[in-house]
Amino acid sequence: MKIPQCSMDIFKKRRDELISSLKDNEMIILSSQPLYLRQHDVAFPYRQDSFFYYLTGFEESNSCLVLRKKSPSSILFVQKNDPERELWDGALFGPDRAKSTFLMDACVDVEEFQDTLLSLLENITNIYRIRSVNKVFDHELDQVFVEQKAKYPDRRTPYRFLDARDLISKRRMIKSEFEIKQIRKACQISTLAHTQVMKACKPGVTERHLHGIFIQSLMSQQAVRESYGGIFASGDHALVLHYMDNADTCQDGDLMLVDAGAEWEYYASDLTRTFPVNGKFSAEQKIIYNHVLNVQKELIQAVRPGVTHRSINTKALELIFAVLKQEGVIKNKKDIRTFYPHGFGHLLGLDVHDVYCLDEDDATFTLQAGMTLTVEPGIYIPRSAEVPEKFKGIGIRIEDNVLVTETGSEVLSCHLPKEVDEIESLMAKS
Ligand code: GLY
Ligand code: MN
Ligand code: MN
């Protein structure tokens, strides 16, 4: 039985604000993340769906939230108590305890979901839902709408189904003081873990060993898990953007790219540092590294309210093209994606790639105070490219987590070293 460490008023306030934005004929139905099995009676580690968690704080699977204007406005469907099951899997809240703990207007046994929902649907025509989080609930819901026609022929149907992600994402994009505190803490935990990895890195250790040090550090700081599978990429593996094998041995003379973060109370951090396996950058590595670092600092300077996400993406492309041209790596702008195939960054929050509605090409997405995002330019030079030999195989990304403030930005991960001399002196001390 897991109770969030924070006040339940936080979740209730989110629900109340959302409910008060609804019209009388609108309803939101969200389902929990299902529990996935890796074998007939062995489950994968469970994590609640972020939209569901945002509005409930409730971490049990097989549950469902209904919100509407009319009272009762917030109804949580949960599993009832079952001593035999609880002997194996731990205590369940059950409807009564869930209602009082999570400050719901009503809690109902999830087995009564279909019948209860039928009775709640009166006067409802617009239903916000998220398809495909939980296929069992999707099916149950679809059945309710079929049954409704038979049971209540005079009700106005069919319903208009809308995507609840659009509605909730707008709210999730702007972080409260509480949320910023959690992300700050996730960054703080990751910062210590990254520095411990840097100190432990030397020729001959494996990527997996370093990943283990990272996870050990997170857990010893009481973080429950990583916010995504950590990328521990030595040498050419850094050119694979989402490399996750982490199976190779770190070689003398190579760089090591670590893209990894802690999750704290469901909030993510997402930090990348690139450093020399042997603790000392080569001349070529240092040249490209400092270019990425300078670009990153310029991009962070560009983060402020009123600036579009797209304009910073454009700036990143221009800055990276300029430095690659200066080094004789690139001639034509059209080739830039060979060396820099991703965007400058993304929103960060309950999910590492936070909220749903953000198309990178969407020029209407403008930064606002309270948003948290990553700034993560990189340069990746394939061996197959026609470039100076000395740069081949270099892959560098530097990623920080940034809060948009009223006047500009604050780097939440500013304590994680990124200057060449800071990194070299940290690694020399180990
Ligand atoms: N860790 C994935 C990313 O940086 O977006
Ligand atoms: Mn990352
Ligand atoms: Mn990222």
Side-chain angles (χ1 to χ4, degrees), residues 2 4 31-33 61 85 115 119 175 203 214 218 229 245 249 251-252 261 287 304 311 363 365 387 391 397 406 428:
K2 288 191 199 150
S31 51
S32 62
Q33 188 76 43
S61 67
R85 236 202 91 191
D115 286 344
S119 70
K175 270 64 184 179
F214 190 81
L218 299 194
D245 288 350
T249 301
Q251 305 293 339
D252 197 2
I287 289 169
R304 76 187 90 91
S311 73
F365 164 39
V387 299
F391 292 137
R397 178 163 66 255
E406 295 293 341

Side-chain angles (χ1 to χ4, degrees), residues 228 242 259 270 346 353 376 399:
Y228 53 95
H242 285 170
D259 180 347
D270 178 10
H346 49 85
H353 294 168
E376 51 176 309
E399 177 173 28

